[in-house]
């Protein structure tokens, strides 16, 4: 069984569109994250979220909004897509008390044209 | 902002050689993790070190956490083509539930 899954794997869209990426984890973890990996492979956290608290990275534009319908799901909605949003987006999860060890999904490659 | 600097950024070696990757910061971390990422996939956790001076071994890979918990190293003995990938270190801060990742080391092991 896949531990952390993301859909879609690839997403090609035009500037100005709104899109969503879905993430699900079946590990029973209490915290989920969204990361952005740029073309130079630098991995940067965007959000972390658990049942009680959403922690927002101040450098993330407010066009990005995480939505968590339940503990096992954390979706990422992006409004008014820009060229600079092109990257690979990774969802991850961790469990409190485990030194924040991350379990990553396979990634979603977003290309904005 | 806590920063982690990895070196070297790129490393291309022959099968059988040894190598060391470094991860340095001016900040103290409560723990430090190493991940390996292969093309088209997400990073996979290799190890977590928590105590200053701690050394952990995973087959041919040896991980060390600096005494002051500000730096770490990954040493690979007798590298194999299967070791090829992007190696990422990540530090956990004391305040929140976030990791700060280093810039990564791209390793290529040629047969």
């Amino acid at each position: 069984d896949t531990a952390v899954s993301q859909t879609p794997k690839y997403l090609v869209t035009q500037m100005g569109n709104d899109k969503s990426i879905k993430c699900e984890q079946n590990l029973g973890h209490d915290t989920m994250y969204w990361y952005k990996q740029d073309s130079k492979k630098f991995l940067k956290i965007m959000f972390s979220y658990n049942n009680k608290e959403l922690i927002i990275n101040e450098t993330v534009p407010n066009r990005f909004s995480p939505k968590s319908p339940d503990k096992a799901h954390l979706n990422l909605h992006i409004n008014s897509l820009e060229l600079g949003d092109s990257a690979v987006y990774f969802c991850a999860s961790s469990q409190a008390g485990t030194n924040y060890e991350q379990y990553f999904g396979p990634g979603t490659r977003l290309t904005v044209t | 902002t806590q920063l982690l600097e990895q070196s070297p950024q790129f490393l291309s070696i022959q099968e059988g050689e040894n190598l060391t990757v470094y991860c340095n910061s001016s900040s103290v971390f409560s723990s430090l993790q190493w991940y390996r990422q292969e093309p088209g996939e997400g990073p996979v956790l290799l190890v977590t070190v928590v105590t200053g001076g701690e050394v952990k071994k995973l087959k041919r890979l040896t991980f060390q956490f600096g005494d002051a918990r500000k730096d770490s190293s990954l040493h690979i003995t007798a590298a194999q083509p299967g070791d090829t990938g992007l190696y990422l270190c990540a530090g956990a801060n004391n305040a929140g539930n976030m990791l700060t990742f280093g810039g990564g080391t791209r390793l290529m092991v040629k047969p």
Side-chain angles (χ1 to χ4, degrees):
Chain A
D1 288 341
T2 303
V4 181
S5 59
Q6 293 178 231
T7 55
K9 177 71 172 176
Y10 301 95
L11 184 54
V12 180
T13 188
Q14 293 183 332
M15 288 176 55
N17 286 346
D18 302 339
K19 291 293 180 183
S20 293
I21 305 172
K22 296 184 177 181
C23 177
E24 177 181 0
Q25 56 97 3
N26 62 8
L27 297 168
H29 288 169
D30 58 8
T31 306
M32 297 184 71
Y33 310 80
W34 278 107
Y35 288 86
K36 179 180 181 181
Q37 189 171 46
D38 61 25
S39 58
K40 296 184 178 180
K41 303 299 183 182
F42 184 68
L43 195 62
K44 188 171 183 180
I45 191 165
M46 301 175 68
F47 305 101
S48 72
Y49 193 101
N50 63 23
N51 285 338
K52 300 176 181 178
E53 187 176 5
L54 170 65
I55 299 174
I56 300 173
N57 186 316
E58 294 179 357
T59 64
V60 178
N62 57 16
R63 298 181 294 105
F64 291 79
S65 57
K67 299 183 188 302
S68 180
D70 56 58
K71 185 179 175 181
H73 296 83
L74 181 63
N75 304 323
L76 181 64
H77 189 74
I78 315 170
N79 290 324
S80 303
L81 279 156
E82 301 177 357
L83 291 176
D85 297 332
S86 295
V88 181
Y89 292 84
F90 287 99
C91 176
S93 69
S94 70
Q95 179 63 35
T98 63
N99 297 305
Y100 314 127
E101 295 174 348
Q102 310 276 295
Y103 289 77
F104 285 86
T108 295
R109 181 175 292 278
L110 172 65
T111 302
V112 182
T113 61
Chain B
T1 301
Q2 297 177 299
L3 297 176
L4 275 169
E5 294 186 359
Q6 282 188 242
S7 61
Q9 292 183 22
F10 301 94
L11 191 55
S12 181
I13 61 173
Q14 292 295 133
E15 183 177 0
E17 292 184 8
N18 302 331
L19 68 114
T20 302
V21 177
Y22 299 94
C23 179
N24 296 298
S25 176
S26 58
S27 302
V28 176
F29 293 99
S30 61
S31 68
L32 196 137
Q33 300 160 20
W34 285 92
Y35 294 80
R36 180 167 66 209
Q37 183 179 14
E38 299 190 18
E41 299 180 7
V44 175
L45 178 67
L46 295 175
V47 78
T48 301
V49 285
V50 179
T51 307
E54 182 176 4
V55 176
K56 281 192 174 180
K57 291 190 176 183
L58 184 65
K59 296 183 179 179
R60 295 175 292 101
L61 278 62
T62 302
F63 305 84
Q64 184 164 7
F65 203 9
D67 292 339
R69 291 186 289 132
K70 293 182 179 181
D71 55 86
S72 181
S73 64
L74 158 60
H75 182 79
I76 301 180
T77 303
Q80 299 177 1
D83 296 328
T84 293
L86 177 69
Y87 288 82
L88 297 160
C89 65
N93 60 21
N94 291 315
N97 58 350
M98 290 189 181
L99 293 181
T100 300
F101 277 82
T105 295
R106 294 194 207 186
L107 171 65
M108 176 174 287
V109 182
K110 300 176 182 178

